[in-house]
Each structure stands twice: as structure tokens, then as C-alpha cells.
Amino acid sequence: MRGRFIVLEGIDGSGTTTQLDRAVAFVGSLGHRTVATREPSAGPIGRLLREALHGRLSMEDGSRIDGRAMALLFAADRIDHLQREIEPHLAAGTTVVSDRYLLSSLAYQAEEADRTWVATLARGILAPDLTVLLDLPIEVAARRREAAGRPIERYDADSCLAKVAANYRELAREQPAVVVVNGAATKDEVTASMCRAIASLFASAQEP
Ligand code: TYD
């Protein structure tokens, strides 16, 4: 049987990276083989994207990569990630849990490129079996990023993340298989809600 494909999403500082390990541990405790992964991926295009996100690819005059070019790079990284890592694991029966995937592109790139065009880049791309969206106020996320001493990235301005958060909420209503969890709750409470969603995915998969 193919593995399940689970994705964690949310604005920067929402806690997806913390919850990733916990999701993988939970899937393992249910007796399933599982791996953690993330986007931008560990592959060549993902590494290039991280350089761009940290402002290390800006030109001397301070100009940055155009938003449409970023959208294409995220889409290219996703195809590389799917082909190199996600698909082979799923085919081998391993459940894949990814920190970010398609919803990130739909929520973030819609702010710097035409939304309809961004959606066309997502056409035909493997849909996750479950996406858990960690939703929280942008101020809480900003405090967490600051407390963690995280460097400021391309999309970290509150004005940008407010729009991204609204996009995520809209997408959660439109897209299938998205469960919204209150990301402002304690880490353990978030884990509990996330694990309930994961448990029902596996329970429904076992139904005849
Ligand atoms: P993040 O997940 O916080 O990784 P790190 O911990 O290495 O900083 O950062 C990834 C950033 O990339 C985040 O701001 C969201 C953005 N992003 C997009 O804009 N589109 C995408 O498709 C993906 C996968 C990420």
C-alpha cells in the first residue's frame, strides 16, 4: 500500500518545524514507516531558494529576484522534491510528512505574482492526503520568531504575513483535506490537535 502524504503549513513562526518531528513520531507510534522532509527542499533548487530567502542573492543595487521568478523556483523545487524524494517514499509504502508544500506557494506567491497564474503552476501536482494548517495571529508568530533569534527572511514583514495568513484561511475553506489547528495554543495542545487529524486520516484509510 502507498504511504500517506501529510503536510504542515502556516506563516513563519507558526511552529511547523517544531511540530514536524512530533508528527513523524506520532505516525511511527501508529506502526507506520515514516520520514520527515521540508520545502524549500534539500535539493539544488531548494538550496538556491534558501540563499534567496536569506537575502544572499541580492544584487549590489539591492534588487532582489522578481516574485514571478521566485514562484517558478518554488514550483521547480517542488517537482524536483516530488521526483527525488516524496514519490519514491510513497511508492515504497512510507508515509511522508513535509514542513510546507503546495499551500505555501498558493498563500505566499499570490502576494508577489498574479494569483491565477500561481494557481496554474500548481495544476497536476500531487495533492497531499492531509494538510494541517497552524493558524495564529501574526503578532504571536512575530514574537516567536524574535524569541528564537531567527534571521529576517524575504516574507517576514508583518504587512506581508497578514496577507499570507488571510490567504491560508481562504485556501483552507476552498481546498480539500485541510484541517485548521489553533497555532497560538501551547506546543502540546497543537500536537494533540494535529495528531487527532492524523489519526483520523489513518482510520479512514483503513475503512473497507
Ligand atoms: P521556513 O519554512 O521558515 O524555513 P527556514 O526555517 O529555513 O527559514 O522558510 C521558508 C520560507 O519560504 C517561508 O517564508 C515561506 C516561503 N515559501 C514560499 O514563499 N513558497 C513556497 O512554496 C515555500 C515552500 C516556502
Side-chain angles (χ1 to χ4, degrees):
M1 188 185 160
R2 260 173 82 83
R4 302 280 131 192
F5 184 23
I6 301 168
V7 175
L8 308 183
E9 291 278 2
I11 59 170
D12 300 66
S14 60
T16 55
T17 306
T18 304
Q19 297 298 334
L20 179 70
D21 290 342
R22 294 173 173 219
V24 164
F26 180 70
V27 173
S29 77
L30 297 177
H32 303 282
R33 223 177 22 247
T34 177
V35 289
T37 187
R38 67 202 293 228
E39 288 191 3
S41 78
I45 307 164
R47 292 203 300 273
L48 177 71
L49 273 165
R50 279 187 199 285
E51 293 292 301
L53 288 167
H54 291 107
R56 289 196 286 264
L57 296 181
S58 301
M59 303 299 286
E60 259 168 38
D61 64 2
S63 61
R64 313 188 297 177
I65 298 177
D66 184 275
R68 290 164 301 176
M70 289 296 283
L72 289 168
L73 285 172
F74 281 116
D77 181 41
R78 187 155 304 122
I79 289 170
D80 178 53
H81 189 204
L82 273 164
Q83 184 268 334
R84 192 171 32 77
E85 216 178 317
I86 301 174
E87 287 283 9
H89 280 307
L90 295 176
T94 302
T95 287
V96 175
V97 188
S98 184
D99 180 356
R100 299 192 179 282
Y101 184 67
L102 203 50
L103 229 55
S104 282
S105 282
L106 297 174
Y108 283 79
Q109 272 60 63
E111 288 314 311
E112 55 178 7
D114 178 74
R115 186 175 283 246
T116 314
W117 177 72
V118 170
T120 61
L121 295 179
R123 281 223 301 260
I125 296 291
L126 178 73
D129 296 299
L130 169 68
T131 299
V132 178
L133 171 61
L134 308 185
D135 186 23
L136 80 177
I138 54 164
E139 307 78 39
V140 179
R143 278 200 297 276
R144 286 191 188 163
R145 292 197 305 278
E146 211 180 304
R150 287 180 47 176
I152 296 180
E153 291 185 353
R154 180 172 173 122
Y155 305 112
D156 278 353
D158 278 354
S159 54
C160 173
L161 287 183
K163 291 185 198 145
V164 172
N167 291 343
Y168 265 132
R169 285 177 201 130
E170 199 181 315
L171 288 160
R173 286 191 294 272
E174 290 166 1
Q175 302 274 327
V178 182
V179 171
V180 184
V181 162
N182 173 18
T186 66
K187 277 182 196 171
D188 289 349
E189 283 165 350
V190 174
T191 305
S193 307
M194 173 183 73
C195 291
R196 269 198 298 279
I198 295 174
S200 29
L201 171 71
F202 282 101
S204 64
Q206 275 159 16
E207 278 166 17

